Every structure is written in structure tokens, then in C-alpha cells.
Amino acid sequence: MLQPTFLRDNRQETIDRLAKRGFDATEAVDIIISIDDSRKATQTELDGVLAESNRIAKDIGALFKEGKQTEANAAKVQAGELKERSNLLQEQLLSIETRLQDRLYQLPNMPHSTVPFGRTAEDNQTVRSGGQMPTLAKDALPHWDLAKKFNIIDFELGVKVTGAGFPVYRGQGARLQRALINWFLDEARDAGYTEYIPPFMVNEASGYGTGQLPDKEGQMYYMPADEFYMVPTAEVPLTNFFRDVILKAEELPVKLTAYTPCFRREAGSYGKDVKGLNRLHQFDKVEVVQVAHPDKSYGILEEMVTHVSGLLDKLGLPYRILRLCGGDMGFTSALTYDLEVWSAGQGRWLEVSSVSNFETFQANRLKLRFREGNEKPQLAHTLNGSALALPRIMAALLENYQVADGIRVPEVLHSYTGFHTITGA
RNA sequence: GGAGAGAUGGCCGAGUGGUCGAAGGCGCACGCCUGGAAAGUGUGUAAACCCCACAAGGGUUUCGAGGGUUCGAAUCCCUCUCUCUCCGCCA
């Protein structure tokens, strides 16, 4: 959520930056500023009435003590009138604040200056590529066929117990999955992140804190009996640790990591996008989150991208790094890098990580601040990234490392898997 | 799930209708003391919003959350949430 004071002081800049997302925010910004004007005017008036009421209430106390009943009762009448006025103003203020908040919730984050203009994924910039494209045999298979051939992932069984998009991992498939989770967490720890195991369900306030609510409730699984949402990413619980928190400047940056399963309803997806492991309702992911000083956050964003691409280097997967254009970026982000791996069996790129700087957009909703010395608290910057999302990594590993009689396992994982080749045994 | 007790500032803890944003202590910051430190001692120590120049100064709100009674609520009433103790159930 953007701040009205910022919009007021930087009206044109806000409009220009939001234009990168392909829409004209002029009207929305002006409406917000004018609602904010009436909010201030109403509060000023209300404060005056309340101040008067408080003064009279004190006088009444004093009058009673002095035994001046008549004067006291006269003052009571006056206080009653003020009360009526203040109630009215309070109602007005509340409705103005609600309107203001509704408007602010609808405004996406402002893209950073380096974000390219553009509407679709076509307009994303490739900033770097890494790894070697594999040369596969003529009869190379996509991962869903390999999964069946070696009996390591059972999609039908998942349909039986739950539904489509809930695969069952078996034998070496399950062990490879677990190995990847452990390796990712160890790599994150080596990079200075503290490991957490957060709740896999969150309350409504947490959904609002990171921006899934109010707009994207349809994407989350909801448990009405307890009013909980299944986490769509570890970002939600991890970042909400800091809701209503004031950190000391010297505590920054805070670096956290967690593995969680992620649950997404993915309403409206279809076709080749949901084939095999490409898009699931439940998947595993290791997430990294940082809370940063505003002056440092963009350096940290690069550091996070380097961490993630380093994982892909070590796995030997070919990848590319994209800087998302304004139109393709998430609602809450100021700058996002996507990392995609080459899925040799499908002949397409698969997104395996998204690393974003949210600047103060989430911090404003969360009231996540830090204090420098004795200065006033100011909003921190939040960042997060996948490091990494498992299913598409699994898909790429299966496809890119397939050989005649099995699937080779990258060397960095050997001590985690306990086997070097998937043979279906 | 049932019964009872509780929720106060960074922490502990007083406060049962007016002078309470809240005693006292701890912690923290700065000063004095000291060769330096400890001890001692003095001062200060929440957040948001509004007026104003984001200064000084002033105002409003906030004692788990929301509502109510009252001229006036940390204090009385109602609802909810959470914590603790006991019972039940249970990985």
C-alpha cells in the first residue's frame, strides 16, 4: 500500500512510475489526495470538539467538588451537545478513512526506475543467462513420462486421494524431493539466513499484511470453520512475523528462510501449463525473505538473485534471468527478477524463482518499521525470493539429466539423496 | 470440549469512576561522581494522527480487540480473542 503523504508530495512521479504498468493513475491519485484532504479537515474539527468536551468534563468534576450543582448540571447539558457533534464527526471520519483505504488498496506498487515499459511477458528483459543447454537423445521424454517410467511420481494416485494438482512422490522421487529441500535450506543457511518452520495456515490479518487480501482470496484455500488460509508461499507467515514491529537499525538486514508446502487454487489455469509438474495446487518451496534498510535494499535484491542463480549453477541447469516489465510484475512489487530453467523435454522455459523488492509497500500495511538511534521510526523495505520452487526444478532435473537407463543426479545432491542415479528401483 | 483465573508502557508491576499516558522497580540513553570502571546520584525514556514549516509548541486517540453505560472509564456492563490452572480427549 502506498502512502497518501507520498502521493501528495510526489504526485507526478507517482503517476509516471505507475504508467509503466500500463495504466493511467491520474484520476485515482487525485481522488486519494482529495479524500485525504477531507480526512484531515474532519479530524481537525473532531479533535477540537473532543478537546472542548474534555475540558468541560474536567470542569464538571471540579464543580461537583465545590458543591456547585447548578453550574455542573448546566455544563452537563453543554457536554451532551458536544457529544452528539463528536459522534457525528466520528462516524464521518470512519467512513472517510474506509473510503481512503479502499482506494489505496487498489493502487499497485510503483515500479522502480529500471523496470522496462511493457504489457506482457514478451516485454521482459533478459539480463543474464547461465548453464549449458543439454543435448538429449532423439527419444528423450518429458518429465511426466519419465515419472511414470521410473515410478517416482504418481499423478493418478494424487487424484484419487485428493484431486488434480496434488501429486504423490514415491521412492527415489520422494527422496530426491527431500534432498532438494534440505540442500536448499543448507545453502540458505550458508548464505546467512536463519531457518524457520512457520505455520502452514495463516489468519486473515496476515493475508492483508502481505497483500494476498483483499484481492486474491480466490487464490488461497480457506478453512471457514477457523477462518484460516493455507499458505500460498512461506512469504506470508515469514513476512508477517514483522507485523507491528519496530526494529533497531543495527538489526538490519534480517534474513530468514523456510521450507513450506505451498497451496494455490490456481483457478482458471489449463492446458500445457498444468501438465505434469508445471503447475500444482500443492508444491514444495524454500523461500528467502529479507527486511532491509531502504538505502540497501537494491543491493540486497542483487545479492538474492545471485544466491538463487548460484543454486542453479550448482545444479547444472541452464537458466535465464529476466527483469519483469511493468505489466508482468506482481501488484505489490517494485522490481522483480524471474529465474527460468530450460525444460529440455518440453522445450520451454519454466519459472522456478521470483525475486522481488517490495520497498515499503508491504511494510506500510504491516507497520514494519525500524528506528535509527532516537529518530522517528521509518518504514523498512521487504524483499523475498524463491530459493527454490521444487516441482519445476524436479521437472528440469528429470528431463535434462535423462540417459538411456535412468536419470543422473547432480553431484551436489549425492550426499543428500544417497544415490547417484534414478533407476526406478 | 467443560470449569475457573487473568490480559496495563521494552520488561516486571501498582492502580476499582474525575487531578491517570498511567505509581514503583528493572532495562535503556545522557550527565554528575571516578585515574578508569562498578556502586551511588540526577535527568530523560511509547506509538499513530491533526494544527503548524515533517521546527518549537499545541490538540486527539491508544491500558488485549470491539461495542455499551456516564458530563467523565485502565477502573462498571456486554461480546470476542488470547494466555494460565484443573478436567476431558489426543499425535
Side-chain angles (χ1 to χ4, degrees):
Chain A
M1 188 163 63
L2 299 173
Q3 300 158 90
T5 25
F6 182 91
L7 302 188
R8 182 187 298 279
D9 297 341
N10 308 276
R11 180 180 171 277
Q12 197 53 47
E13 183 194 332
T14 304
I15 291 165
D16 292 344
R17 286 175 69 180
L18 283 171
K20 277 194 181 162
R21 288 185 180 269
F23 86 96
D24 182 4
T26 312
E27 195 191 341
V29 169
D30 286 341
I31 288 173
I32 285 169
I33 292 172
S34 92
I35 296 174
D36 195 46
D37 283 339
S38 62
R39 184 193 116 255
K40 286 185 178 190
T42 308
Q43 174 151 7
T44 304
E45 196 182 344
L46 175 63
D47 283 355
V49 174
L50 288 175
E52 181 72 13
S53 291
N54 289 340
R55 208 172 314 124
I56 291 174
K58 270 181 193 170
D59 289 348
I60 291 173
L63 289 170
F64 272 126
K65 243 174 214 163
E66 294 164 28
K68 299 180 179 167
Q69 294 284 339
T70 327
E71 280 105 321
N73 286 328
K76 272 195 189 184
V77 174
Q78 203 189 341
E81 285 165 10
L82 286 172
K83 175 97 177 174
E84 245 173 78
R85 259 184 77 199
S86 72
N87 281 344
L88 197 75
L89 286 166
Q90 219 133 36
E91 257 170 59
Q92 271 177 33
L93 186 62
L94 197 69
S95 96
I96 289 168
E97 280 171 345
T98 308
R99 266 200 297 148
L100 183 62
Q101 185 140 75
D102 287 348
R103 288 284 180 174
L104 285 168
Y105 272 148
Q106 285 168 29
L107 219 51
N109 202 358
M110 292 181 296
H112 184 253
S113 61
T114 59
V115 171
F117 275 90
R119 297 187 60 84
T120 67
E122 306 286 300
D123 302 312
N124 296 335
Q125 286 175 353
T126 304
V127 293
R128 190 161 69 79
S129 300
Q132 290 271 310
M133 295 297 238
T135 42
L136 296 186
K138 257 224 143 68
D139 58 351
L141 298 170
H143 67 269
W144 48 86
D145 289 336
L146 292 165
K148 192 156 207 164
K149 180 175 169 187
F150 295 105
N151 195 13
I152 50 174
I153 304 172
D154 193 329
F155 292 98
E156 286 76 20
L157 195 56
V159 170
K160 179 181 176 182
V161 284
T162 307
F166 293 89
V168 172
Y169 298 82
R170 178 190 171 277
Q172 287 183 310
R175 291 168 67 189
L176 177 57
Q177 183 88 346
R178 181 159 56 86
L180 282 164
I181 293 167
N182 284 334
W183 181 65
F184 289 151
L185 285 170
D186 286 350
E187 288 286 310
R189 189 195 57 209
D190 290 348
Y193 293 90
T194 302
E195 182 176 340
Y196 284 82
I197 301 178
F200 298 162
M201 296 187 215
V202 295
N203 56 30
E204 192 178 40
S206 294
Y208 276 95
T210 29
Q212 279 71 29
L213 298 175
D215 285 336
K216 283 171 263 177
E217 61 263 83
Q219 282 298 321
M220 290 192 289
Y221 287 98
Y222 181 57
M223 326 293 284
D226 299 287
E227 300 184 301
F228 292 151
Y229 294 87
M230 302 296 293
V231 296
T233 159
E235 166 200 348
V236 179
L238 289 183
T239 310
N240 273 285
F241 288 172
F242 298 97
R243 177 148 41 86
D244 297 317
V245 166
I246 301 177
L247 295 161
K248 294 190 187 111
E250 53 271 28
E251 294 178 287
L252 301 176
V254 183
K255 303 173 75 173
L256 305 78
T257 185
Y259 152 74
T260 67
C262 302
F263 303 91
R264 299 184 182 183
R265 297 188 62 230
E266 301 292 0
S269 302
Y270 62 93
K272 68 177 183 292
D273 284 342
V274 299
K275 183 102 179 161
L277 294 171
N278 286 346
R279 188 176 296 276
L280 301 170
H281 290 308
Q282 178 184 321
F283 65 96
D284 294 314
K285 181 158 64 68
V286 171
E287 185 81 357
V288 290
V289 168
Q290 292 209 38
V291 180
H293 192 287
D295 296 345
K296 301 271 172 62
S297 68
Y298 279 96
I300 283 171
L301 180 66
E302 299 303 319
E303 169 206 312
M304 290 171 81
V305 170
T306 304
H307 172 72
V308 176
S309 63
L311 297 174
L312 298 173
D313 285 327
K314 288 178 191 172
L315 289 174
L317 293 174
Y319 64 91
R320 62 180 189 182
I321 303 174
L322 305 173
R323 186 187 284 124
L324 296 194
C325 71
D328 204 28
M329 237 174 23
F331 188 82
T332 54
S333 175
L335 176 58
T336 296
Y337 291 103
D338 271 6
L339 287 89
E340 298 181 335
V341 296
W342 181 248
S343 168
Q346 300 183 76
R348 59 189 290 222
W349 293 98
L350 296 178
E351 180 193 332
V352 292
S353 178
S354 192
V355 187
S356 302
N357 186 354
F358 304 99
E359 297 191 1
T360 59
F361 195 84
Q362 287 182 332
N364 186 37
R365 284 199 192 183
L366 291 162
K367 297 195 177 64
L368 162 54
R369 291 163 291 175
F370 71 97
R371 191 199 306 274
E372 225 144 3
N374 290 324
E375 287 174 28
K376 265 187 64 171
Q378 60 172 308
L379 294 172
H381 282 192
T382 58
L383 304 94
N384 69 47
S386 345
L388 282 157
L390 274 284
R392 294 175 190 164
I393 291 292
M394 177 75 88
L397 287 178
L398 298 182
E399 293 175 6
N400 293 22
Y401 284 107
Q402 57 183 304
V403 288
D405 55 349
I407 295 162
R408 292 187 296 115
V409 173
E411 206 178 322
V412 287
L413 298 175
H414 288 179
S415 63
Y416 289 86
T417 53
F419 55 83
H420 296 191
T421 312
I422 292 174
T423 57

